[in-house]
Amino acid sequence: QVQLVESGGGLVQPGGSLRLSCAASGSIYSINHMGWYRQAPGKERELVAVITSGGNTNYADSVKGRFTISRDNAKNTVYLQMNSLKPEDTAVYCCYAKVTTGRGMIADYWGQGTQVTVSS
């Protein structure tokens, strides 16, 4: 079993910054992609950013230049540094990881989600 635990969400004013963290634990042999999705009320889920095990990254156009994804492979942790936050960034942010388990199975695992609210 693999668990992903997120932290770092909260309330911030427009223009402010937040850093999200997501730590994976359990029966992990290796982790390929890690990333973040978000979903705002009444909107479809959106891929925010993804990072491969080799450090290649990809971002949604709406966050390019403002958000930075990174990971610590030794800690099985992915981070999302969010700067210049806008009210439209308000959403529940969920991390995910494509994991090869100790039994050799490959599957996607998800965190429980953390609320980010950008408001004055």
Side-chain angles (χ1 to χ4, degrees):
Q1 189 72 357
V2 175
Q3 299 82 36
L4 272 63
V5 178
E6 298 136 335
S7 60
L11 173 64
V12 64
Q13 292 186 342
S17 298
L18 282 175
R19 189 191 195 209
L20 305 182
S21 300
C22 173
S25 62
S27 179
I28 298 171
Y29 176 75
S30 64
I31 301 178
N32 190 351
H33 295 76
M34 300 185 83
W36 294 89
Y37 280 83
R38 69 184 180 186
Q39 187 163 22
K43 294 187 177 181
E44 294 186 355
R45 187 177 64 180
E46 174 187 26
L47 177 62
V48 177
V50 62
I51 184 168
T52 68
S53 57
N56 294 318
T57 60
N58 196 22
Y59 297 91
D61 287 342
S62 58
V63 306
K64 283 181 180 177
R66 301 188 297 122
F67 291 10
T68 302
I69 189 170
S70 60
R71 63 190 281 177
D72 184 331
N73 291 331
K75 295 181 178 179
N76 289 332
T77 298
V78 63
Y79 306 96
L80 186 67
Q81 178 67 43
M82 305 184 293
N83 298 329
S84 302
L85 282 161
K86 304 175 181 180
E88 51 264 43
D89 294 318
T90 296
V92 175
Y93 286 70
C94 291
C95 70
Y96 86 96
K98 183 174 289 294
V99 176
T100 300
T101 69
R103 292 189 174 187
M105 296 175 57
I106 300 174
D108 290 339
Y109 293 89
W110 295 84
Q112 78 285 0
T114 186
Q115 177 69 45
V116 171
T117 302
V118 184
S119 175
S120 56

